[in-house]
Amino acid sequence: MDSTFKMFSIVHLAVLVVLFVAIVLLYRFRQNLKLEPDNSKRLERIIAITLLVCDVLYHIWLIQTDRWSLDHSLPLELCSLSLVVTILLLWTGNRHLVDFVIFAGIAGALQAIVTPDLDMNFPHFRFFHFFYTHTGIVMTGLYFIWVKGYSPTFIGAIRTFITLNAILPIIILVNLLFDGNYMFLRRKPQNGSLLDYMGPYPWYILWLEFTALMMFFIIWLVFRKRNTRTD
């Protein structure tokens, strides 16, 4: 099998189908997953551990293959940050972390799964790491909505957007110090992404901000708690 990952190849489409089925099953059996608090916490922590172990193994692999570098290996990408917050949320259950996972996590991870910036194909470990961690972010966000009963709010979407922009100066500084491209703030990914349709640098960054805000609003509209009328 070709070792180079190709977007929308049979392997990629299979991953998208698996994600779709997983989301459908989570929604279908959401009531069954409403466990006793102790069992619920145990399940959440097990998933947190698997995500953490997978990411630690990824960094070990980077080090062993001389791929680890300050310019691209720090957890400063949107999905890397979302993964850290997802693990903390699953381990602690801290509701202050839910908004970030639901808005930034789901929006960023879904975009990454559909248009992956990935150089390793199935069955390489990096392939499994990429799709397992990104799927874990999406499923955790949906789990807290459908199973834990968290209702996304408009204020939560705005707060997440402000939080991301508050982090950007740090990302920009790190990019300058280590010649990095975290969050694609200096150039677009080489393997193609939605950024290819957003114009040249630096204008695509403004479009990226607008797109992120619109995705947050869409997530809020889809999953917000609706008032029901009874006659």
Side-chain angles (χ1 to χ4, degrees), residues 37-113:
D38 289 345
N39 293 332
S40 178
K41 178 55 65 178
R42 188 177 299 111
L43 173 64
E44 292 160 17
R45 289 191 169 183
I46 288 173
I47 297 173
I49 290 172
T50 63
L51 290 171
L52 177 61
V53 169
C54 187
D55 204 47
V56 169
L57 290 175
Y58 168 62
H59 283 272
I60 292 174
W61 172 73
L62 287 176
I63 293 171
Q64 290 181 336
T65 56
D66 293 325
R67 292 169 176 256
W68 201 98
S69 175
L70 289 170
D71 66 344
H72 66 266
S73 302
L74 298 174
L76 296 178
E77 301 287 3
L78 176 58
C79 289
S80 300
L81 291 170
S82 296
L83 179 61
V84 171
V85 178
T86 296
I87 293 170
L88 290 174
L89 173 60
L90 288 168
W91 189 263
T92 66
N94 189 331
R95 289 301 180 102
H96 295 293
L97 304 175
V98 180
D99 281 335
F100 194 93
V101 175
I102 289 177
F103 293 110
I106 291 179
L110 277 180
Q111 187 275 329
I113 291 171

Side-chain angles (χ1 to χ4, degrees), residues 19-31 33-34 86 89-90 98-103 105-107 109-110 113 134-152 219-220 222-224:
L19 174 62
F20 176 77
V21 171
I23 291 173
V24 170
L25 290 176
L26 177 63
Y27 182 78
R28 171 64 178 81
F29 295 104
R30 64 192 185 281
Q31 298 298 333
L33 290 171
K34 293 181 179 180
T86 296
L89 173 60
L90 288 168
V98 180
D99 281 335
F100 194 93
V101 175
I102 289 177
F103 293 110
I106 291 179
L110 277 180
I113 291 171
H134 285 78
T135 299
I137 294 168
V138 174
M139 298 299 288
T140 297
L142 295 176
Y143 168 82
F144 270 84
I145 295 171
W146 290 334
V147 179
K148 304 293 284 185
Y150 183 86
S151 180
I219 291 171
W220 167 66
V222 171
F223 296 110
R224 76 191 193 280

Side-chain angles (χ1 to χ4, degrees), residues 111-225:
Q111 187 275 329
I113 291 171
V114 174
T115 59
D117 182 27
L118 182 63
D119 59 351
M120 298 294 182
N121 201 13
F122 176 89
H124 195 277
F125 165 74
R126 169 58 175 154
F127 175 92
F128 288 103
H129 166 267
F130 182 92
F131 286 111
Y132 178 66
T133 54
H134 285 78
T135 299
I137 294 168
V138 174
M139 298 299 288
T140 297
L142 295 176
Y143 168 82
F144 270 84
I145 295 171
W146 290 334
V147 179
K148 304 293 284 185
Y150 183 86
S151 180
T153 64
F154 179 82
I155 295 300
I158 297 298
R159 185 165 50 233
T160 302
F161 186 74
I162 292 173
T163 299
L164 282 176
N165 279 274
I167 296 172
L168 287 186
I170 299 174
I171 307 297
I172 292 172
L173 178 60
V174 172
N175 282 339
L176 291 174
L177 289 175
F178 302 117
D179 193 27
N181 189 34
Y182 292 106
M183 291 197 182
F184 305 119
L185 294 178
R186 298 183 69 186
R187 55 189 175 274
K188 301 176 184 180
Q190 295 180 350
N191 295 339
S193 73
L194 292 177
L195 300 185
D196 292 336
Y197 304 97
M198 296 182 183
Y201 177 89
W203 304 112
Y204 75 81
I205 296 176
L206 297 178
W207 278 108
L208 188 59
E209 289 263 22
F210 176 77
T211 302
L213 188 59
M214 290 302 100
M215 291 183 73
F216 291 179
F217 286 163
I218 291 172
I219 291 171
W220 167 66
L221 288 172
V222 171
F223 296 110
R224 76 191 193 280
K225 185 176 181 180

